[in-house]
Amino acid sequence: MRCRLLGIPLTLAAALALGGCQGLPGSSPVQQGQVVGRGPAEGVRVIPRGPVPGSTPEALVTDFLRAGVASEDSGVARDYLSGRGSEQWHPDGSAWIYDDARRPTVTQVRPGVVTVSGVVSAQLDREGHYVELPPGQVRTATVTLARQGDEWRIDGGLGALASAWISRSDLGLYASSPVAYAAPGQNALILDRRWFLEGSGLLTRVARAQLAAPPAYLQGAAETGVPEYTDLSLGAVALDRGLARVGLTARALNADDRGRRLMWQQLTTTLTSVPGVDRVQLEADGSTLTAPGLPEGPLSATDVSLAEAVLPSSPVLLRRRTTLERVDPASLSEQGGQRATRRPLEGPPLPSVGTQWSRLALSPDGEELAGLDADRRDLVRWRGTRLIRHEKLAQDLTRPAYDARGYLWVAGRTGAGTRLFVLPRSDTSATPPTAVNVPWLADRTVLALRPSPEGQRVLVVSQPTGGGPATVGVSGVLRKDGRPVGLAQPIAVAGALVSVVDATWLDADTLGVLGRGRDLPTPHVVVAPISGPSQILGPVPGGTAITSIGGARTIVVQTDRGQALVRSGNGFQPLVTTGDFVVPGH
């Protein structure tokens, strides 16, 4: 099966943009493609036309929608508005994205009243995140028009048009760029991918996104060294022969030494991800911003120590009835039904796992194993061959999962509602795990959860307690003295799926999701970036769990027939027969 993107042709370099400081700028200039080795292209701009004399209300509103995405400012679009309408119209940077074959319809319902209605497949939120939507989403806006002399002008209902309407064709004008944060108390990098308008002003838009506070789903979970209200002192970032010179207002001087180092590392990491930028120079209030512990002068990406955490992939545990085997995943294959020679690996003694225990998870260091009983009410842990049992914890417990900061996670339903449970691995007693109350999960059942590689985010698959479509979200982890105490509001991922079986982290900003779409009657694997269009891989009938032994290229799916399948191109082939395929930290 040929791979494809959910709702987006694979050949389209789909992207969305931030305009001004954040969000979509209600504009989309046409420009020449980027030349390899050069800085950001200035491009050829299209100046949108103003209102055409004698336009009908429908034609005027149609041209207004096009004008709103064809320039970097809203000046021309405002020519379509009356004086009152211009005062009411405040584009918020968000956008609805529709397929070219399903353009929105503009209909006059009565003289001076027009509706805009269309099926949208994705959204750009105000912060510049690309979010896929469930299939068949319809958005409708109603606007009123008034006569201004002999011409119609849009006069009311502009709040409904605060979000732009963007076609798939427009998306090729935009590209994504990561915005860098740090995991609190660690040197681990957290990247938040946004979508920006390419061409003139790109560096300024990216820099302003970095200067702003972390987005809602990372609030309290990601750290920034930028003091509140810091802005660009000259209003723009200058680029000269690969050097991005960033002038900051005096607010930047309020950062302490650690904050200054982090500010340098964030802006250097973020801006050097833009083609054509090799080095970054920070200045504050007209002078170089000093930061103890960092090299003097402009910094390159190699001068900063923030780095993305990587999930371990070896060794894996294979299960045959009650016996566990520790093997090198590179030695596994089952081509043509012939099992290759496995390379067993040394390690701590492995327990004998009774048939009543399943849904196994292995800590990142491989020293602790966890699982559930058949009724999914009891959580068990093994330290070597020692069994630690936490009985009647909750109903419908999820597969346990370990984070990189020394905690075991599991979720389930209690009499008080859905709860997350966390337990420090350092506690080897049978003390019940701490229950974490997450308000947005109160009326939902958790089907799966997995901490991110650095441990500051968690993917959560959940569905309404009374039944309904399952959704995938990623939330920042709120901690107190290192202990998880809550989750931020999630950002939706892989929203075009209509049902979800399981999900895992493939890397620091990409998920692997096992589920079905509206046109996918059997479970498929979907590679789903956080803030980006998803790629559909081949079907996996009977798939029950998903993991990875090396990122998106080596996704492994467990089936209900006791087989582990591994990705081969865009399909899946047998890897090994096993009752459980357990990868550390997944």
Side-chain angles (χ1 to χ4, degrees), residues 474-542:
V474 172
S475 296
V477 179
L478 312 180
R479 294 180 184 264
K480 182 177 182 180
D481 299 326
R483 178 174 59 86
V485 295
L487 297 182
Q489 285 288 331
I491 184 173
V493 183
L497 294 176
V498 298
S499 70
V500 179
V501 177
D502 195 19
T504 192
W505 292 86
L506 301 179
D507 58 38
D509 66 354
T510 309
L511 307 184
V513 184
L514 181 61
R516 293 189 302 106
R518 184 171 58 179
D519 300 323
L520 305 173
T522 59
H524 281 60
V525 170
V526 174
V527 177
I530 302 170
S531 181
S534 296
Q535 178 187 4
I536 303 175
L537 303 182
V540 279

Side-chain angles (χ1 to χ4, degrees), residues 53-187:
S55 292
T56 64
E58 300 99 311
L60 187 86
V61 172
T62 299
D63 288 346
F64 167 76
L65 295 177
R66 294 301 308 151
V69 297
S71 63
E72 288 192 50
D73 59 56
S74 59
V76 175
R78 289 188 184 276
D79 291 342
Y80 289 80
L81 311 179
S82 68
R84 189 178 77 156
S86 185
E87 292 177 356
Q88 293 178 359
W89 188 51
H90 302 289
D92 63 10
S94 63
W96 302 114
I97 303 158
Y98 61 88
D99 298 331
D100 290 80
R102 306 185 72 177
R103 293 182 177 276
T105 58
V106 180
T107 306
Q108 181 172 250
V109 293
R110 60 180 181 274
V113 179
V114 169
T115 61
V116 180
S117 182
V119 178
V120 294
S121 58
Q123 177 188 16
L124 180 71
D125 70 17
R126 297 180 185 183
E127 293 173 310
H129 300 114
Y130 182 101
V131 180
E132 290 176 342
L133 299 175
Q137 295 289 299
V138 177
R139 293 293 179 267
T140 301
T142 300
V143 296
T144 59
L145 296 92
R147 285 284 189 178
Q148 201 165 277
D150 294 332
E151 303 294 337
W152 288 104
R153 291 296 181 264
I154 301 173
D155 188 61
L158 272 299
L161 295 180
S163 295
W165 292 68
I166 304 297
S167 74
R168 293 288 170 193
S169 298
D170 293 325
L171 301 186
L173 305 173
Y174 303 89
S176 67
S177 183
V179 177
Y181 302 99
Q186 304 180 71
N187 213 30

Side-chain angles (χ1 to χ4, degrees), residues 254-398:
N254 293 339
D256 59 16
D257 288 349
R258 184 176 183 282
R260 292 188 183 195
R261 287 193 299 272
L262 183 53
M263 201 182 331
W264 267 97
Q265 294 191 89
Q266 288 177 263
L267 281 158
T268 301
T269 299
T270 295
L271 295 183
T272 55
S273 71
V274 178
V277 179
D278 303 317
R279 295 160 297 141
V280 174
Q281 174 67 48
L282 297 190
E283 299 174 353
D285 202 24
S287 301
T288 298
L289 181 67
T290 60
L294 290 177
E296 294 185 6
L299 299 187
S300 67
T302 59
D303 295 320
V304 299
S305 58
L306 281 179
E308 286 186 288
V310 178
L311 285 167
S313 60
S314 179
V316 301
L317 297 184
L318 304 181
R319 179 178 182 176
R320 184 175 179 83
R321 296 187 178 89
T322 64
T323 302
L324 294 176
E325 180 183 11
R326 184 185 290 111
V327 301
D328 178 356
S331 70
L332 299 176
S333 68
E334 202 170 73
Q335 302 284 355
Q338 299 299 315
R339 183 173 301 161
T341 301
R342 298 175 181 170
R343 290 197 296 272
L345 298 176
E346 297 297 325
L350 293 171
S352 175
V353 178
T355 56
Q356 72 271 35
W357 309 117
S358 62
R359 297 178 179 245
L360 302 181
L362 185 64
S363 63
D365 61 8
E367 294 185 356
E368 182 172 297
L369 186 70
L372 305 178
D373 72 333
D375 293 330
R376 294 171 56 193
R377 291 173 178 264
D378 295 354
L379 170 69
V380 291
R381 302 155 60 203
W382 290 270
R383 284 294 187 93
T385 58
R386 180 191 170 200
L387 177 67
I388 307 168
R389 188 164 181 169
H390 306 275
E391 296 181 321
K392 298 181 180 178
L393 186 60
Q395 298 179 14
D396 299 328
L397 290 173
T398 61

